Amino acid sequence: MLGEGILKGLAETARNFAGSFVSAERLTTVEYPEQRIAPIEATRDFPFLVYDGTDPEAGLRCVACQICEKECPPKCIYIVKSTDKKPDYVGKLQIYPARFDIDISVCMSCQICVEVCPFEAIKMDTAFELATTDRFGGLLYDKKELSKSNEHYHAIHPTEAAEVDARLAEEKAKGEAKAKAAAAAALAKAAAPAAATPVPKPAAPAATVPAVKPAEGERNRDR
Amino acid sequence: MSGSGYLDATLKPEGWNRPPVIEPDGEGELLEVAMGPHHPSTHGVFRMDVALDGERVIRLKPVFGYLHRNHEKLAEGMSYLASMPFTDRLDYICPMTNNWAYALAVEKLTGQEVPERAEYLRVICGELTRVVNHASAVGFLIQEMGASGTPLMYAFKEREKVLDLFESLTGARMMVNYMRFGGCRVDATPAWLDGVRKVVAGLPKFVGEFESLLTGNEILMARTQGVGILKPDLAVNAGITGPMLRASGVNYDIRKVDGYGIYNRFKFRVPLGDHGDVFDRFMIRLLELRESLQILEQALKDIPGGPVMDPKAKLRGFRPKPGEAYGRIEAPKGELGFYLISDGSPNPYRYRVRPPSLINLTVLEDMCLGQNVADVVLIFGSVDIVLGEVDR
């Protein structure tokens, strides 16, 4: 019969229309500003800088190595290195960014800065309601606006943040062990000519060398 | 308007363009219409300069380049890794397959291996992308016929479920930036795989609904059957690939021909058309959707454990040996290839994309000649292009 196909199609449309009143599966939209879909954990949009503790200046993990600035595909990161140094999370003196700007009107949320960062210092945020009336200055985020605490990172990406914390703790422990071993080796070296007993020597390199090398090789990142 | 307007002037150098096959019947004058660049049916910014005799198309000249973003030259100035997110933005309906083709080319260049689990994840993501692309391509085609909204929204409802899966895996719905040289960026959790299983289990119902909505429809059949015929010999000579070539009856699917990745492990059929008209192109996409579901089911059953990145793979700062590589895959729109030449530096010396959309568009005039102007929109829609890929 001519028109049978059209009627069959119309029946399908009617089923979907009527079904949307009773079945949640057929009603797929939400009334956005009032109703919100629960955010997905892996969601990313724009980068932020992580700091430990409470002070955004002192706790900033970034050491201004400029790898992210170099690798950023749309070149939206701008970094100025500091002239002095401050201690980082393992207590080593490091350069810090005197200026760290991200133009989020240029940023394309690709996450490459996060992947290449060897210091777990830059991560992706999930805030998306960022509209502003000033499209130049308002979308150029400086260090102050970009710095967010590790707690914030834990709140938005709990699984990922826990992994990062575990990795950093491990590295810190390794760093401390290395420092201790180095101190012991130095002590032994100082003691060796006097006492002429090479007892602690084999212990020191065995503790230091394998402890550091695999960690670097495994992450494939420049330091 | 006379027949000697700017259109004639641009076509003038003889030998550059083929002489028109259809001759005007001599009554009245030709009408020249510029369809686009802002035309609702053009899926973006694209212009067709059409010369009409009454309602018949006498000549058609596609004009593109409005969306040119200098993708290839940009990629030559940055590291291999940094152009990965830009490949997402070529064919923005199917970012996963773009990532895959580029990763394949770089892996060929550097000789990297991909772990088993990553190969399976690539197949799962690639086939989900094909489902999304074919469903929305069919939806757009119906919309161009005048059924504005409803069928497209049904397709988009399904697409949204897949995009939610992509978001929970990669962090972004469309600009996924997921694949890396030597694997994939993040591993899939068991919960994610269960989510895929749920979506895949629900898809046959959707395809069935979609088919009953459309395939028996008399208006659709009258509008599409015998319209925009592409002969197999012309399709082969013009380098057409993908569903368009198969709708003309040529059995050529790179998943079967190359067996790249692990595609030779899966059992699936290649649907072929025999008329090469718009209806065949539409049906091929629906049938391929069902075959993709077959592949997805097999891949989800067999996926092994293990790492998703080759431990030897480097993320950045690697320098491939001087040489060249061409990686190609069966993207939902056709053969998507990346051609790279390395001179031993961290950037590619030459970076070339072989976009299926652009090359499939080259036969647009041949398909439209002698057709009604209202069908031009339909024929154009059946090519299934994305302007981001045509113009790059």
Side-chain angles (χ1 to χ4, degrees), chain B residues 205-232:
Chain B
K205 185 168 160 256
F206 158 74
V207 182
E209 272 187 11
F210 215 48
E211 272 189 7
S212 76
L213 187 68
L214 306 168
T215 41
N217 191 310
E218 286 82 0
I219 301 174
L220 186 137
M221 289 200 276
R223 285 288 312 268
T224 55
Q225 287 181 348
V227 171
I229 292 172
L230 177 64
K231 292 265 168 16

mmCIF file of all heavy atoms in Angstrom, chain B residues 205-232:
data_model
loop_
_atom_site.group_PDB
_atom_site.id
_atom_site.type_symbol
_atom_site.label_atom_id
_atom_site.label_comp_id
_atom_site.label_asym_id
_atom_site.label_seq_id
_atom_site.Cartn_x
_atom_site.Cartn_y
_atom_site.Cartn_z
ATOM 1 N N LYS B 205 18.557 -1.825 18.857
ATOM 2 C CA LYS B 205 17.182 -1.331 18.970
ATOM 3 C C LYS B 205 17.066 0.011 18.251
ATOM 4 O O LYS B 205 16.122 0.265 17.501
ATOM 5 C CB LYS B 205 16.835 -1.176 20.449
ATOM 6 C CG LYS B 205 15.399 -0.782 20.690
ATOM 7 C CD LYS B 205 15.029 -0.927 22.162
ATOM 8 C CE LYS B 205 13.805 -0.093 22.498
ATOM 9 N NZ LYS B 205 14.118 1.135 23.222
ATOM 10 N N PHE B 206 18.074 0.860 18.487
ATOM 11 C CA PHE B 206 18.070 2.177 17.836
ATOM 12 C C PHE B 206 18.130 2.030 16.321
ATOM 13 O O PHE B 206 17.389 2.695 15.599
ATOM 14 C CB PHE B 206 19.249 3.006 18.357
ATOM 15 C CG PHE B 206 19.659 4.107 17.434
ATOM 16 C CD1 PHE B 206 18.882 5.242 17.309
ATOM 17 C CD2 PHE B 206 20.818 4.006 16.664
ATOM 18 C CE1 PHE B 206 19.248 6.262 16.452
ATOM 19 C CE2 PHE B 206 21.183 5.019 15.807
ATOM 20 C CZ PHE B 206 20.397 6.146 15.702
ATOM 21 N N VAL B 207 19.004 1.143 15.841
ATOM 22 C CA VAL B 207 19.141 0.981 14.390
ATOM 23 C C VAL B 207 17.831 0.465 13.808
ATOM 24 O O VAL B 207 17.384 0.912 12.748
ATOM 25 C CB VAL B 207 20.316 0.044 14.048
ATOM 26 C CG1 VAL B 207 20.493 -0.080 12.551
ATOM 27 C CG2 VAL B 207 21.605 0.569 14.650
ATOM 28 N N GLY B 208 17.192 -0.456 14.538
ATOM 29 C CA GLY B 208 15.910 -0.972 14.077
ATOM 30 C C GLY B 208 14.870 0.133 13.978
ATOM 31 O O GLY B 208 14.160 0.250 12.973
ATOM 32 N N GLU B 209 14.801 0.971 15.022
ATOM 33 C CA GLU B 209 13.851 2.089 15.034
ATOM 34 C C GLU B 209 14.120 3.028 13.874
ATOM 35 O O GLU B 209 13.204 3.466 13.176
ATOM 36 C CB GLU B 209 14.012 2.893 16.331
ATOM 37 C CG GLU B 209 13.186 2.412 17.482
ATOM 38 C CD GLU B 209 13.288 3.360 18.665
ATOM 39 O OE1 GLU B 209 13.830 4.477 18.505
ATOM 40 O OE2 GLU B 209 12.829 3.001 19.745
ATOM 41 N N PHE B 210 15.398 3.319 13.690
ATOM 42 C CA PHE B 210 15.811 4.256 12.647
ATOM 43 C C PHE B 210 15.410 3.719 11.283
ATOM 44 O O PHE B 210 14.925 4.455 10.434
ATOM 45 C CB PHE B 210 17.334 4.407 12.750
ATOM 46 C CG PHE B 210 17.838 5.774 12.438
ATOM 47 C CD1 PHE B 210 17.244 6.884 13.002
ATOM 48 C CD2 PHE B 210 18.919 5.945 11.594
ATOM 49 C CE1 PHE B 210 17.725 8.147 12.719
ATOM 50 C CE2 PHE B 210 19.400 7.203 11.321
ATOM 51 C CZ PHE B 210 18.804 8.301 11.880
ATOM 52 N N GLU B 211 15.613 2.410 11.110
ATOM 53 C CA GLU B 211 15.279 1.807 9.818
ATOM 54 C C GLU B 211 13.785 1.847 9.568
ATOM 55 O O GLU B 211 13.331 2.179 8.475
ATOM 56 C CB GLU B 211 15.788 0.370 9.764
ATOM 57 C CG GLU B 211 17.207 0.305 9.270
ATOM 58 C CD GLU B 211 17.648 -1.118 8.998
ATOM 59 O OE1 GLU B 211 16.817 -2.040 9.073
ATOM 60 O OE2 GLU B 211 18.829 -1.298 8.718
ATOM 61 N N SER B 212 12.993 1.511 10.606
ATOM 62 C CA SER B 212 11.543 1.503 10.390
ATOM 63 C C SER B 212 11.034 2.925 10.182
ATOM 64 O O SER B 212 10.033 3.149 9.519
ATOM 65 C CB SER B 212 10.833 0.847 11.572
ATOM 66 O OG SER B 212 10.802 1.739 12.660
ATOM 67 N N LEU B 213 11.759 3.893 10.746
ATOM 68 C CA LEU B 213 11.379 5.296 10.549
ATOM 69 C C LEU B 213 11.593 5.718 9.102
ATOM 70 O O LEU B 213 10.865 6.552 8.583
ATOM 71 C CB LEU B 213 12.235 6.152 11.482
ATOM 72 C CG LEU B 213 11.964 7.630 11.613
ATOM 73 C CD1 LEU B 213 10.643 7.847 12.296
ATOM 74 C CD2 LEU B 213 13.060 8.288 12.419
ATOM 75 N N LEU B 214 12.605 5.160 8.459
ATOM 76 C CA LEU B 214 13.054 5.732 7.201
ATOM 77 C C LEU B 214 12.969 4.832 5.984
ATOM 78 O O LEU B 214 12.492 5.250 4.938
ATOM 79 C CB LEU B 214 14.513 6.189 7.351
ATOM 80 C CG LEU B 214 14.756 7.126 8.531
ATOM 81 C CD1 LEU B 214 16.224 7.280 8.764
ATOM 82 C CD2 LEU B 214 14.113 8.459 8.275
ATOM 83 N N THR B 215 13.432 3.599 6.109
ATOM 84 C CA THR B 215 13.716 2.869 4.869
ATOM 85 C C THR B 215 12.466 2.579 4.042
ATOM 86 O O THR B 215 12.529 2.549 2.825
ATOM 87 C CB THR B 215 14.437 1.551 5.150
ATOM 88 O OG1 THR B 215 13.850 0.969 6.291
ATOM 89 C CG2 THR B 215 15.891 1.774 5.364
ATOM 90 N N GLY B 216 11.323 2.355 4.667
ATOM 91 C CA GLY B 216 10.142 2.053 3.874
ATOM 92 C C GLY B 216 9.425 3.297 3.381
ATOM 93 O O GLY B 216 8.430 3.204 2.675
ATOM 94 N N ASN B 217 9.950 4.455 3.757
ATOM 95 C CA ASN B 217 9.240 5.708 3.503
ATOM 96 C C ASN B 217 9.201 6.024 2.010
ATOM 97 O O ASN B 217 10.233 6.128 1.357
ATOM 98 C CB ASN B 217 9.961 6.822 4.267
ATOM 99 C CG ASN B 217 9.177 8.093 4.306
ATOM 100 O OD1 ASN B 217 8.706 8.559 3.276
ATOM 101 N ND2 ASN B 217 9.033 8.659 5.482
ATOM 102 N N GLU B 218 7.983 6.183 1.476
ATOM 103 C CA GLU B 218 7.824 6.370 0.029
ATOM 104 C C GLU B 218 8.450 7.676 -0.448
ATOM 105 O O GLU B 218 9.026 7.728 -1.535
ATOM 106 C CB GLU B 218 6.348 6.338 -0.351
ATOM 107 C CG GLU B 218 5.726 4.957 -0.330
ATOM 108 C CD GLU B 218 5.310 4.532 1.071
ATOM 109 O OE1 GLU B 218 5.510 5.316 2.011
ATOM 110 O OE2 GLU B 218 4.800 3.416 1.227
ATOM 111 N N ILE B 219 8.347 8.717 0.379
ATOM 112 C CA ILE B 219 8.908 10.012 -0.042
ATOM 113 C C ILE B 219 10.424 9.885 -0.168
ATOM 114 O O ILE B 219 11.036 10.322 -1.146
ATOM 115 C CB ILE B 219 8.545 11.114 0.969
ATOM 116 C CG1 ILE B 219 7.037 11.249 1.088
ATOM 117 C CG2 ILE B 219 9.161 12.432 0.559
ATOM 118 C CD1 ILE B 219 6.601 12.201 2.169
ATOM 119 N N LEU B 220 11.002 9.233 0.838
ATOM 120 C CA LEU B 220 12.459 9.070 0.815
ATOM 121 C C LEU B 220 12.884 8.273 -0.415
ATOM 122 O O LEU B 220 13.829 8.650 -1.107
ATOM 123 C CB LEU B 220 12.898 8.364 2.099
ATOM 124 C CG LEU B 220 14.396 8.250 2.300
ATOM 125 C CD1 LEU B 220 14.743 8.564 3.724
ATOM 126 C CD2 LEU B 220 14.930 6.889 1.951
ATOM 127 N N MET B 221 12.162 7.216 -0.697
ATOM 128 C CA MET B 221 12.556 6.389 -1.849
ATOM 129 C C MET B 221 12.411 7.168 -3.149
ATOM 130 O O MET B 221 13.263 7.097 -4.027
ATOM 131 C CB MET B 221 11.720 5.112 -1.876
ATOM 132 C CG MET B 221 12.111 4.182 -0.752
ATOM 133 S SD MET B 221 11.614 2.494 -1.026
ATOM 134 C CE MET B 221 9.950 2.533 -0.445
ATOM 135 N N ALA B 222 11.310 7.932 -3.249
ATOM 136 C CA ALA B 222 11.096 8.690 -4.482
ATOM 137 C C ALA B 222 12.158 9.763 -4.661
ATOM 138 O O ALA B 222 12.575 10.060 -5.781
ATOM 139 C CB ALA B 222 9.710 9.320 -4.452
ATOM 140 N N ARG B 223 12.593 10.333 -3.539
ATOM 141 C CA ARG B 223 13.583 11.398 -3.653
ATOM 142 C C ARG B 223 14.990 10.872 -3.920
ATOM 143 O O ARG B 223 15.822 11.601 -4.473
ATOM 144 C CB ARG B 223 13.632 12.229 -2.358
ATOM 145 C CG ARG B 223 12.491 13.190 -2.136
ATOM 146 C CD ARG B 223 12.485 14.410 -3.032
ATOM 147 N NE ARG B 223 13.738 15.141 -3.166
ATOM 148 C CZ ARG B 223 14.085 16.156 -2.400
ATOM 149 N NH1 ARG B 223 13.330 16.554 -1.417
ATOM 150 N NH2 ARG B 223 15.229 16.786 -2.624
ATOM 151 N N THR B 224 15.296 9.663 -3.443
ATOM 152 C CA THR B 224 16.701 9.235 -3.471
ATOM 153 C C THR B 224 17.016 8.185 -4.520
ATOM 154 O O THR B 224 18.158 8.102 -4.968
ATOM 155 C CB THR B 224 17.124 8.667 -2.103
ATOM 156 O OG1 THR B 224 16.231 7.620 -1.754
ATOM 157 C CG2 THR B 224 17.110 9.720 -1.034
ATOM 158 N N GLN B 225 16.048 7.375 -4.927
ATOM 159 C CA GLN B 225 16.390 6.283 -5.847
ATOM 160 C C GLN B 225 16.605 6.823 -7.256
ATOM 161 O O GLN B 225 15.784 7.578 -7.769
ATOM 162 C CB GLN B 225 15.310 5.215 -5.822
ATOM 163 C CG GLN B 225 15.385 4.424 -4.526
ATOM 164 C CD GLN B 225 14.360 3.330 -4.432
ATOM 165 O OE1 GLN B 225 13.437 3.263 -5.229
ATOM 166 N NE2 GLN B 225 14.523 2.476 -3.443
ATOM 167 N N GLY B 226 17.725 6.435 -7.848
ATOM 168 C CA GLY B 226 18.057 6.885 -9.204
ATOM 169 C C GLY B 226 18.577 8.306 -9.260
ATOM 170 O O GLY B 226 18.728 8.866 -10.338
ATOM 171 N N VAL B 227 18.863 8.902 -8.123
ATOM 172 C CA VAL B 227 19.349 10.281 -8.083
ATOM 173 C C VAL B 227 20.839 10.272 -7.761
ATOM 174 O O VAL B 227 21.278 9.542 -6.873
ATOM 175 C CB VAL B 227 18.579 11.087 -7.009
ATOM 176 C CG1 VAL B 227 19.200 12.449 -6.794
ATOM 177 C CG2 VAL B 227 17.134 11.232 -7.402
ATOM 178 N N GLY B 228 21.597 11.077 -8.482
ATOM 179 C CA GLY B 228 23.026 11.240 -8.170
ATOM 180 C C GLY B 228 23.827 9.975 -8.350
ATOM 181 O O GLY B 228 24.591 9.589 -7.467
ATOM 182 N N ILE B 229 23.661 9.347 -9.497
ATOM 183 C CA ILE B 229 24.332 8.056 -9.707
ATOM 184 C C ILE B 229 25.824 8.263 -9.959
ATOM 185 O O ILE B 229 26.233 9.137 -10.720
ATOM 186 C CB ILE B 229 23.677 7.302 -10.875
ATOM 187 C CG1 ILE B 229 22.267 6.879 -10.460
ATOM 188 C CG2 ILE B 229 24.493 6.089 -11.290
ATOM 189 C CD1 ILE B 229 21.432 6.310 -11.549
ATOM 190 N N LEU B 230 26.623 7.464 -9.267
ATOM 191 C CA LEU B 230 28.075 7.477 -9.463
ATOM 192 C C LEU B 230 28.474 6.106 -10.004
ATOM 193 O O LEU B 230 28.293 5.095 -9.332
ATOM 194 C CB LEU B 230 28.775 7.760 -8.129
ATOM 195 C CG LEU B 230 30.288 7.743 -8.147
ATOM 196 C CD1 LEU B 230 30.835 8.840 -9.016
ATOM 197 C CD2 LEU B 230 30.831 7.883 -6.730
ATOM 198 N N LYS B 231 29.018 6.101 -11.230
ATOM 199 C CA LYS B 231 29.405 4.834 -11.869
ATOM 200 C C LYS B 231 30.682 4.307 -11.212
ATOM 201 O O LYS B 231 31.576 5.079 -10.859
ATOM 202 C CB LYS B 231 29.649 5.072 -13.362
ATOM 203 C CG LYS B 231 28.390 5.414 -14.128
ATOM 204 C CD LYS B 231 27.814 4.157 -14.738
ATOM 205 C CE LYS B 231 26.422 4.272 -15.298
ATOM 206 N NZ LYS B 231 25.842 5.546 -15.561
ATOM 207 N N PRO B 232 30.808 2.968 -11.069
ATOM 208 C CA PRO B 232 31.988 2.421 -10.388
ATOM 209 C C PRO B 232 33.305 2.798 -11.053
ATOM 210 O O PRO B 232 34.285 3.076 -10.361
ATOM 211 C CB PRO B 232 31.756 0.913 -10.429
ATOM 212 C CG PRO B 232 30.483 0.674 -11.097
ATOM 213 C CD PRO B 232 29.813 1.953 -11.385
#
